[in-house]
Amino acid sequence: MEMESTLLTKFSIPGNFYSLSVMAAQSSSYKALSLRNCSYLRNTTALSLLHFRSSSTVKVLSLFDVTCYSTCSGIEYSSSSKRRSRGPVMAAKGKSEGDKQEDGKYKQTVDLPKTAFGLRANSVVREPEIQKMWEENQVFRRVVSRNNGVGSCSFVLHDGPPYANGDLHMGHAMNKILKDVINRYKLLQNFQVHFVPGWDCHGLPIELKVLQSLDQDSRKELTPLKLRAKAAKFAKSTVKTQMISFKRYGVWADWDNPYLTLDPEYEAAQIEVFGQMVLKGYIYRGRKPVHWSPSSRTALAEAELEYPEGHTSMSMYAIFPLLSAPTSCKMLEDFLPNVGLAIWTTTPWTIPANAAVAVNSKLQYAVVEVHFPSGDNSRSSADKEKRFGNVLKNRDKQFLVVALDLVPTLESKWSVKLEVNATITGAELENCRYVHPIDNEECPVVIGGDYITTESGTGLVHTAPGHGQEDYVTGLKYNLPMLSPVDDEGIFTEEAGRFRGLDVLGSGNAAVIEYLGNNSKLIMVEPYKHKYPYDWRTKKPTIFRATEQWFASVEGFRTAAMDAINQVTWIPSQAENRISSMTSVRSDWCISRQRTWGVPIPVFYHVDSKEPLMNKETIDHIKSIISQKGSDAWWYMSVEELLPEKYRNEASSYVKGTDTMDVWFDSGSSWAAVLGKRNGARYPADLYLEGTDQHRGWFQSSLLTSVATNGKAPYRGVLTHGFVLDEKGFKMSKSLGNVVDPKTVIEGGKDPKDIAFGADVLRLWVSSVDYTSDVTIGTTVLRQMSDIYRKLRGTLRFLLGNLHDWKPIYAVPHNELPMIDRYALFQLESVVKNIQESYDNYQFFKIFQIIQRFVVVDLSNFYLDVAKDRLYVGGSTSATRRSCQTVLAAHLLSVVRVIAPILPHLAEDVWQHLPFQFAAEDGHVASSVFELRWPVLNHIYLDFPEEEEVFWGRILELRTEVNKVLENARTAKMIGSSLEAKVSLHASDNSMVTRLIDMCASENDADGLHRIFLTSQVEIRPSLVDVTSEDIPCTGEYLIEGKNKVWIGVSRANGSKCERCWNFSPQVGEYHGHPSLCGRCHSVISQLLPAMAAAS
């Protein structure tokens, strides 16, 4: 290190103290923790840079147990002042700001930052420009093609298709951005990334959109083919609109070749999956209860249901008169004919379809006598919403059979006394007979399953096999009749007798209650709030209704599906429990829909026998037709044309089926249509990534179709994220006015309050949240993200500006770097290592925390703050400046790559302003930041001695405490900026004293304590005997590890102020021709001025 650049002077002052001249740009409140054996934790924004040296175990250790105080001649310590010192940059600008000419005469000798990279992002303009550059230069394809060298392999994130029926919302944005972050990271990791975007284009929502756009007359003229054409046009138009939005988010994908579920090749692949399941015996037609939507007039899958809060049903307690008892419970005969079975239901409209009463064989039941309250029979105020039937008004002796454990509950609810006369087991009640409460038919008591409990009701369950899944299973066991006297619109049919023509969810329900009340079968009705299934599209209640449908027998491959789940990596891990529990109890999958816009179930029915015709020949033939002509062919081609050659002579005996497939079967077949079919799209995929609701949706439908046909899951890993809520944690709703539109966030809105934040700020927000649970977003959060983005951009601008004259050949070897520079590189490499670990584990919120703390806080507030002096006034070609630039270049090249997956526009913008040419190890010069590779771990940087790490941690702690005393001195008006101060130190630990003296006497200017403290001088006192408050008015101290004390004193700096660097030095005035300069600046000027004169 040249002494001309870093001048060390041993002043002749009492105590033989060491002192150094120093420049400071600000007073920093840096707080450091150990870099060893620590990790960033969620929501720990107050943490400094933490590092795993050899372990990824999460622990936070503070290296120092610090106790400190500071005083200043009778004035209490205050940290309210944030005043910065005016350093050499301001001095260099003096002339332009109106200062006297002589104040800026060394302006041209100061190395100011130079870059065209703006501090303001101007995202509305700049981001589309960058995206256009990517598209015109085919950067995504070029990078994928280049990632085919040694060690490269493919990575397939299979896109779950969003529904093509409207604008995108914030959930879409978070989903696609998460996918893009992963894909871009994999690109930098030398993976061949294959990401094919997809859209779900069939189904009722699109069909309804078409119908809503037509008037009544147009609807009457709408044929199936015309409707399908309009639906296809609407879906394709929506796909284009959504694609534009996804691109604006900065998402990279094979946009020229997306997969649409309406494409003929996709539909053919879906028919193939269906056919394989048919041939394996997993597809069957049967009549059984399914979720039915009267508002949509179609069957629904479980994934098409939602359970809104606040649904209220009219629940009913009723009596079914007991008719006879088997010999196993002859004791019941003693109570005949005045005994009845008490049942409870929340769907009174299903009573006409009643076929049995089910009991739990393991429960104890009681025959209770009803005693009415004496005197006034008025009810309490709590009973206002209840309506009691004539049964409880009748004073005749009345006996009921109820679950023994529910007797106290029912007494309270019915406001009666129930006296237990006898007990009997559920098993003994089997085969008792009762009279149907409406049609007077004789019906049995049967044994149900564990769904019969004493948590609610009476312990006896009214059973209608045509209107419930458990009822259906019980009905099969006892061969019960399966009645379902309800049509497609939810209206009672002729089978319902006196109730025909009534709406089961409205007037029909009320009519059944009224009938039972009039016939002394009603005990009580009351409102009952509970979760009830609604059609997710029409937002209206559904019913259970037995119809002829096509089903996939999940039971046939359930064990294989459960085994496949165990082979998948689930993120978060609890997601495995969720999908396992759903799959383990899932009933057979109803895959048929009574709609027009969809893929047809390729079946023919015999005109007379109604038997279906569907085998390998017919399915293969239809698949071949659809692959060429699309599924419209099913509607416009004749039966003869659709049948294979061997069946054409029988065409007149068959008709085409009219059912279409469940849209979940559509999207659940995407693995067959895309993975293994598209170039590079490997099956199974490496990752599926969707919202947590897809455990019962796309994750499950994909799993079932893949396991049923191939015996394995279509994915190796599954990552799920929560829902996006508003800032207050409420679900977004247009009616509430709390919707945060991603388009408005990026581009701004008509309202001046709708600021345009840009895509990168939105992406930064996505990286900041723990997506494994529900997340919130709003103006406040976005402003915080924008502020962090701005600071990050400012740091990167600083790096660019101070490398304007840098070339890689100027790099200083690591072993020649000052220790502060080696420490900075150690910090950098530790950060890159931790960030890579977080990317690998999909823990993006940790990356956000690391970047925020390291780049925005630690780097700016310490290293870059200290570096300004040698960068600006240390001399353009000085060793100390070149060493600093070596560190800055390493930071820039690493930081720009680690942020690129999250902030691609910012990273690319930085790269396009790179002031030097950078060639990768293979000699490739990257024209885009994504043509780079992920930073290779530099073990030389990481090989930083542990004792040095501990020592530098202590120096940073010491710096923090020094700043507090400096602030105290500034408050006391003793100094203005820290450049006017001299710091005195006295340590009780000899090893610390030795190191501090060594730093004061450092041969390189960068490691000097005065540079680190940003003061003009530092002296190490061997004793405090001669210290007085007059000499050193402001003092403080702190304890390291509770025992080693360091005393801190602040006084005015010695000497005069250097005009060029603003440091104070006794040497100012000693140099002829440059009397206003310190020794260092004189040395720099002595070299610069002749060169500048020659150049001019």
Side-chain angles (χ1 to χ4, degrees), residues 565-692:
I565 289 172
N566 293 333
Q567 303 302 314
V568 174
T569 300
W570 298 90
I571 304 169
S573 58
Q574 58 265 33
E576 180 174 356
N577 296 330
R578 184 169 185 183
I579 194 167
S580 294
S581 61
M582 290 179 174
T583 306
S584 64
V585 298
R586 173 162 187 161
S587 58
D588 286 353
W589 177 9
C590 178
I591 61 171
S592 54
R593 295 292 180 272
Q594 290 66 53
R595 306 308 302 176
T596 301
W597 179 229
V599 177
I601 292 181
V603 61
F604 303 90
Y605 297 99
H606 195 275
V607 173
D608 297 323
S609 67
K610 311 301 181 186
E611 284 298 311
L613 171 63
M614 187 166 58
N615 54 39
K616 188 178 189 306
E617 289 86 354
T618 62
I619 293 172
D620 286 347
H621 185 65
I622 293 166
K623 184 189 84 172
S624 176
I625 292 173
I626 288 178
S627 68
Q628 300 172 32
K629 302 181 179 182
S631 59
D632 277 355
W634 184 259
W635 277 266
Y636 68 72
M637 292 179 68
S638 66
V639 173
E640 184 177 359
E641 292 173 308
L642 291 169
L643 283 170
E645 186 69 33
K646 65 181 290 187
Y647 293 105
R648 284 182 182 170
N649 292 335
E650 305 174 43
S652 61
S653 300
Y654 288 95
V655 294
K656 293 179 285 187
T658 58
D659 290 343
T660 55
M661 291 191 204
D662 174 18
V663 289
W664 290 110
F665 200 99
D666 285 23
S667 59
S669 302
S670 63
W671 59 267
V674 180
L675 304 180
K677 298 288 180 70
R678 299 291 185 96
N679 183 32
R682 181 179 68 238
Y683 169 81
D686 293 290
L687 189 67
Y688 276 34
L689 190 163
E690 301 298 331
T692 186

Side-chain angles (χ1 to χ4, degrees), residues 788-796 851 855-856 899 903 906:
I788 293 169
Y789 172 87
R790 180 181 56 80
K791 291 177 180 177
L792 174 58
R793 188 177 180 90
T795 299
L796 292 168
I851 290 174
V855 178
V856 178
I899 68 169
L903 302 170
L906 174 59

Side-chain angles (χ1 to χ4, degrees), residues 1044-1060:
N1044 295 319
K1045 183 169 70 173
V1046 177
W1047 174 88
I1048 304 166
V1050 170
S1051 58
R1052 290 281 303 180
N1054 299 324
S1056 302
K1057 179 180 177 182
C1058 173
E1059 179 185 350
R1060 181 171 177 270

Side-chain angles (χ1 to χ4, degrees), residues 23 98 108 142 145 212 302 310 440 507 524 582 683 781 787 822 879 969:
M23 162 258 174
Q108 299 303 320
R142 210 166 67 227
S145 299
Q212 291 167 5
E302 182 66 36
N440 295 320
S507 58
M524 187 190 80
M582 290 179 174
Y683 169 81
V781 173
D787 188 51
R822 297 189 210 179

Side-chain angles (χ1 to χ4, degrees), residues 325-326 328-329 359 425-432 445-447 477-478:
S328 60
C329 57
V359 296
T425 66
E428 292 173 316
L429 285 171
E430 186 180 23
N431 296 323
C432 286
V445 175
V446 298
I447 302 298
K477 178 181 176 182
Y478 286 91

Side-chain angles (χ1 to χ4, degrees), residues 873-895:
V873 296
S876 300
T877 60
S878 66
T880 186
R881 185 167 184 269
R882 291 303 189 210
S883 68
C884 185
Q885 287 183 310
T886 301
V887 174
L888 297 190
H891 277 74
L892 181 62
L893 293 172
S894 290
V895 171

Side-chain angles (χ1 to χ4, degrees), residues 842-1054:
Y842 305 118
Q843 295 176 317
F844 307 123
F845 70 90
K846 288 188 176 181
I847 298 170
F848 169 80
Q849 291 173 354
I850 295 171
I851 290 174
Q852 181 190 9
R853 186 63 200 177
F854 175 63
V855 178
V856 178
V857 180
D858 294 336
L859 189 59
S860 295
N861 283 6
F862 171 57
Y863 185 79
L864 299 186
D865 202 22
V866 170
K868 290 174 184 175
D869 178 76
R870 51 176 162 153
L871 287 171
Y872 299 162
V873 296
S876 300
T877 60
S878 66
T880 186
R881 185 167 184 269
R882 291 303 189 210
S883 68
C884 185
Q885 287 183 310
T886 301
V887 174
L888 297 190
H891 277 74
L892 181 62
L893 293 172
S894 290
V895 171
V896 75
R897 284 181 279 182
V898 300
I899 68 169
I902 295 171
L903 302 170
H905 304 93
L906 174 59
E908 191 66 78
D909 205 4
V910 169
W911 193 255
Q912 297 307 317
H913 286 87
L914 196 70
F916 55 89
Q917 190 177 70
F918 176 75
E921 293 180 356
D922 59 0
H924 175 74
V925 177
S927 59
S928 167
V929 68
F930 291 97
E931 293 181 5
L932 300 169
R933 294 279 187 263
W934 185 261
V936 177
L937 199 63
N938 192 318
H939 293 284
I940 294 177
Y941 292 175
L942 283 175
D943 190 22
F944 192 70
E946 186 170 352
E947 61 274 12
E948 285 298 321
E949 181 187 353
V950 171
F951 174 73
W952 276 93
R954 289 176 177 172
I955 289 298
L956 294 178
E957 285 286 352
L958 178 59
R959 183 177 187 264
T960 300
E961 303 311 317
V962 167
N963 283 337
K964 292 179 181 179
V965 183
L966 288 170
E967 182 66 25
N968 210 7
R970 187 177 295 115
T971 302
K973 310 292 186 184
M974 190 188 80
I975 61 172
S977 76
S978 59
L979 293 173
E980 300 174 13
K982 176 173 72 175
V983 172
S984 302
L985 300 175
H986 171 71
S988 58
D989 179 69
N990 290 332
S991 62
M992 173 63 82
V993 171
T994 301
R995 289 302 302 269
L996 293 177
I997 292 175
D998 289 344
M999 292 185 74
C1000 284
S1002 174
E1003 292 186 358
N1004 71 75
D1005 193 45
D1007 286 340
L1009 275 180
H1010 59 300
R1011 299 295 182 218
I1012 294 169
F1013 293 161
L1014 301 180
T1015 57
S1016 285
Q1017 292 117 30
V1018 173
E1019 61 182 15
I1020 310 302
R1021 285 182 171 267
S1023 170
L1024 298 178
V1025 174
D1026 299 327
V1027 173
T1028 65
S1029 59
E1030 289 78 15
D1031 294 335
I1032 303 179
C1034 294
T1035 62
E1037 66 177 35
Y1038 81 106
L1039 295 176
I1040 300 176
E1041 297 176 345
K1043 54 184 179 180
N1044 295 319
K1045 183 169 70 173
V1046 177
W1047 174 88
I1048 304 166
V1050 170
S1051 58
R1052 290 281 303 180
N1054 299 324

